[in-house]
C-alpha cells in the first residue's frame, strides 16, 4: 500500500481514494447497515483497526518522502553561508543629543580644550559653595534641585567641573577644559525638562580677558552654524563670574530678508536663541579653589546642548528629544 506513490502529491491522492469522503473505506462503512446488528460491533472494530493501519502506513510513507526530498534539496543547493543576511527594518543610530554633543566637544578640542568627564551626583560644596553661591541663593532651595541627601545633590549645572578641575591636587596652569553631560533641575514644563544637557568650557591663564572669551565663542558659532552665524552678548548675572553675560545665536530658521522673524516657533519670534551663560571667573572662585586669583584670570561658559540642537534642526519643543518616539528620532 502506498509504496508506489513516488511523491507526496500522488501519495495524498491515494490516501483520499481510500480514506476520503467518497473513498473505499467510506463505502465499506455504508455497507455496515447490512451487517446484522449482533455482528456490527465486531465488524466496526475491524474496520477501525484497518483505518488505523492505513493511516499509520500513510504517515510513515509521507515522512519518508519528506525526508528524501529534504536530503535531495540539501544535495542540490548546499546552504550558502556567505549570503548576506536580511535587514530587519533599518539600523539604529546615535541620539541627536549625542550627535550634537560629540560635534561640540570636537569643535572645542580643535580650539585646544581638553575634554574631561564630570559627575552627575555632586557635593553641594562643588555645585554651589565653591562657585560663590551665597547661602540663601534661590537655586540652593529644595524647590530647584534634586537632593540625594543633605549636602549631596544631582548637579544643577556642569560648572561643578570647574571646581573639580581647579581643586585637583595635581592641577597645572594654564588650563583649558571642556566637559559635557547631564544636569538636573526641578522645573518641569513644556519649555523645560527636569534633565537636560550642558557643555562647560573654561580657560585659565595669566592675563585672560573677555576678548578671548568672545573670540572663542565667535569661532565656535561660526564652526557650528557656518560663517554667517551671528552671536550677541548681553550682560547677565551668575554668582561665579564677574562680569557675567549671556550669549544668543541668531535664529537661522526664521530670518526674512527684512530682518524680521515672524512665524518662527523655534526662536519664539525674537530672532535670537539664548544658548549659554558665560563670564570671567570670579576671584572668589579662585580663592575657594585655592588658586592665585591675582596672578591668574580665566573665562568660563556653560551652554545648553538641547538649545543648540533645537537651533540646529529646527525642533520647537525640547520634550520631543526625550520621548524617544522612533518617528522623531528617525529624522536625524
Ligand atoms: N552654570 C551656568 C548655568 O547654568 C552657566 C554658566 C557657566 C555661566 C559658566 C557662566 C559661566 O546656567
Amino acid at each position: 500500500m502506498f509504496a508506489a506513490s513516488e511523491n507526496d502529491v500522488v501519495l495524498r491522492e491515494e490516501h483520499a481514494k481510500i480514506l476520503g469522503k467518497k473513498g473505499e473505506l467510506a463505502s465499506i462503512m455504508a455497507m455496515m447497515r447490512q451487517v446484522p446488528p449482533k455482528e456490527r460491533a465486531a465488524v466496526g472494530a475491524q474496520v477501525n483497526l484497518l483505518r488505523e493501519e492505513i493511516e499509520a502506513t500513510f504517515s510513515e510513507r509521507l515522512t519518508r518522502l519528506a525526508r528524501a526530498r529534504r536530503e535531495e534539496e540539501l544535495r542540490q543547493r548546499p546552504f550558502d553561508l556567505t549570503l548576506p543576511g536580511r535587514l530587519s527594518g533599518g539600523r539604529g543610530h546615535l541620539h541627536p543629543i549625542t550627535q550634537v554633543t560629540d560635534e561640540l566637544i570636537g569643535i572645542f578640542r580643535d580650539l585646544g580644550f581638553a575634554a574631561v568627564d564630570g559627575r552627575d551626583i555632586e557635593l553641594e560644596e562643588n555645585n554651589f559653595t565653591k562657585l560663590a553661591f551665597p547661602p540663601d541663593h534661590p537655586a540652593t532651595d529644595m524647590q530647584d534641585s534634586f537632593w540625594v541627601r543633605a549636602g549631596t545633590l544631582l548637579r544643577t549645572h556642569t560648572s561643578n567641573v570647574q571646581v573639580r578641575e581647579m581643586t585637583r591636587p595635581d592641577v597645572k596652569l594654564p588650563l583649558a577644559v571642556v566637559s559635557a553631560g547631564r544636569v538636573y533641575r526641578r522645573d518641569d514644563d513644556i519649555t523645560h525638562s527636569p534633565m537636560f544637557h550642558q557643555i562647560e568650557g573654561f580657560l585659565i591663564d595669566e592675563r585672560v580677558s573677555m576678548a578671548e572669551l568672545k573670540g572663542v565663542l565667535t569661532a565656535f558659532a561660526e564652526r557650528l552654524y557656518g560663517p554667517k552665524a551671528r552671536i550677541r552678548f548681553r550682560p547677565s548675572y551668575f554668582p561665579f563670574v564677574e562680569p557675567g553675560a549671556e550669549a544668543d545665536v541668531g535664529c537661522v530658521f526664521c530670518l526674512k530678508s527684512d530682518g524680521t522673524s515672524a512665524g518662527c516657533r523655534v526662536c519664539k519670534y525674537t530672532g535670537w536663541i539664548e544658548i549659554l551663560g558665560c563670564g570671567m571667573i570670579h576671584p572668589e572662585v579662585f580663592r575657594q579653589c585655592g588658586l592665585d586669583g591675582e596672578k591668574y584670570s580665566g573665562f568660563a561658559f556653560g551652554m545648553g546642548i538641547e538649545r543648540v540642537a533645537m537651533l540646529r534642526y529646527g525642533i520647537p519643543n525640547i520634550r520631543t528629544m526625550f520621548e524617544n518616539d522612533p518617528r522623531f528620532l528617525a529624522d536625524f
Side-chain angles (χ1 to χ4, degrees):
M1 199 195 342
F2 297 136
S5 317
E6 73 274 20
N7 64 50
D8 61 345
V9 181
V10 180
L11 179 65
R12 280 176 210 284
E13 276 167 12
E14 291 296 312
H15 178 264
K17 264 187 222 162
I18 303 168
L19 293 178
K21 261 191 198 147
K22 290 178 186 156
E24 289 166 30
L25 205 70
S27 48
I28 293 173
M29 291 301 277
M31 293 191 296
M32 286 291 276
R33 249 171 283 137
Q34 294 162 30
V35 177
K38 266 200 280 173
E39 291 161 37
R40 227 173 254 173
V43 175
Q46 284 291 316
V47 173
N48 279 336
L49 215 62
L50 186 65
R51 184 208 305 276
E52 274 162 30
E53 242 170 71
I54 297 168
E55 286 289 9
T57 317
F58 166 76
S59 57
E60 190 203 325
R61 180 76 186 145
L62 191 67
T63 312
R64 200 176 300 195
L65 283 174
R67 195 178 298 146
R69 195 170 62 179
R70 165 78 53 83
E71 267 157 26
E72 181 59 21
E73 273 176 3
L74 286 174
R75 254 195 305 281
Q76 288 184 352
R77 293 186 290 135
F79 184 66
D80 185 356
L81 288 169
T82 69
L83 281 176
R86 281 189 204 118
L87 278 184
S88 57
R91 283 187 222 167
H93 59 73
L94 295 177
H95 191 278
I97 293 294
T98 310
Q99 292 181 37
V100 171
T101 303
D102 290 351
E103 194 179 347
L104 298 180
I105 291 278
I107 292 173
F108 287 111
R109 286 178 96 128
D110 287 350
L111 293 171
F113 290 76
V116 304
D117 283 331
R119 305 189 180 210
D120 286 26
I121 300 175
E122 186 56 285
L123 298 172
E124 178 176 11
E125 209 185 318
N126 295 331
N127 190 86
F128 292 129
T129 320
K130 288 186 170 158
L131 287 167
F133 276 77
D136 56 351
H137 193 280
T140 59
D141 266 18
M142 299 300 286
Q143 294 315 92
D144 299 300
S145 318
F146 292 102
W147 290 89
V148 177
R149 56 176 172 268
T152 307
L153 73 163
L154 299 181
R155 65 173 173 188
T156 58
H157 53 184
T158 43
S159 298
N160 66 330
V161 177
Q162 291 184 39
V163 177
R164 286 263 169 197
E165 292 301 309
M166 284 193 241
T167 56
R168 285 171 80 106
D170 59 345
V171 62
K172 274 199 208 74
L173 301 176
L175 198 62
V177 171
V178 66
S179 184
R182 295 189 167 114
V183 301
Y184 308 83
R185 290 183 198 173
R186 288 182 61 151
D187 31 31
D188 194 11
D189 60 55
I190 200 75
T191 56
H192 295 92
S193 154
M195 182 281 297
F196 57 101
H197 298 77
Q198 284 187 336
I199 179 168
E200 189 89 4
F202 55 97
L203 182 145
I204 301 171
D205 201 350
E206 295 176 32
R207 284 183 294 277
V208 177
S209 78
M210 199 89 184
E212 276 91 34
L213 170 63
K214 285 188 81 172
V216 164
L217 291 176
T218 305
F220 155 79
E222 284 170 3
R223 279 171 206 229
L224 188 68
Y225 295 112
K228 288 204 189 116
R230 297 165 302 135
I231 186 163
R232 74 176 184 189
F233 294 81
R234 289 177 286 108
S236 185
Y237 172 77
F238 299 94
F240 40 96
V241 287
E242 182 58 39
E246 281 172 321
D248 310 322
V249 200
C251 181
V252 291
F253 286 97
C254 58
L255 209 68
K256 297 196 280 189
S257 49
D258 63 357
T260 63
S261 58
C264 183
R265 287 191 303 158
V266 177
C267 68
K268 312 275 181 319
Y269 314 107
T270 60
W272 294 91
I273 294 182
E274 181 193 322
I275 59 161
L276 62 87
C278 61
M280 301 308 294
I281 297 174
H282 199 290
E284 178 63 11
V285 176
F286 280 116
R287 201 184 64 77
Q288 292 265 2
C289 295
L291 295 182
D292 185 350
E294 294 287 319
K295 185 173 176 200
Y296 293 101
S297 56
F299 67 71
F301 59 85
M303 195 178 324
I305 296 179
E306 281 76 9
R307 297 302 192 89
V308 174
M310 286 161 87
L311 185 59
R312 186 60 184 276
Y313 299 119
I315 303 164
N317 177 0
I318 187 174
R319 298 286 195 103
T320 49
M321 287 195 254
F322 305 121
E323 283 165 357
N324 285 337
D325 182 334
R327 288 166 300 183
F328 169 79
L329 294 176
D331 286 344
F332 301 94

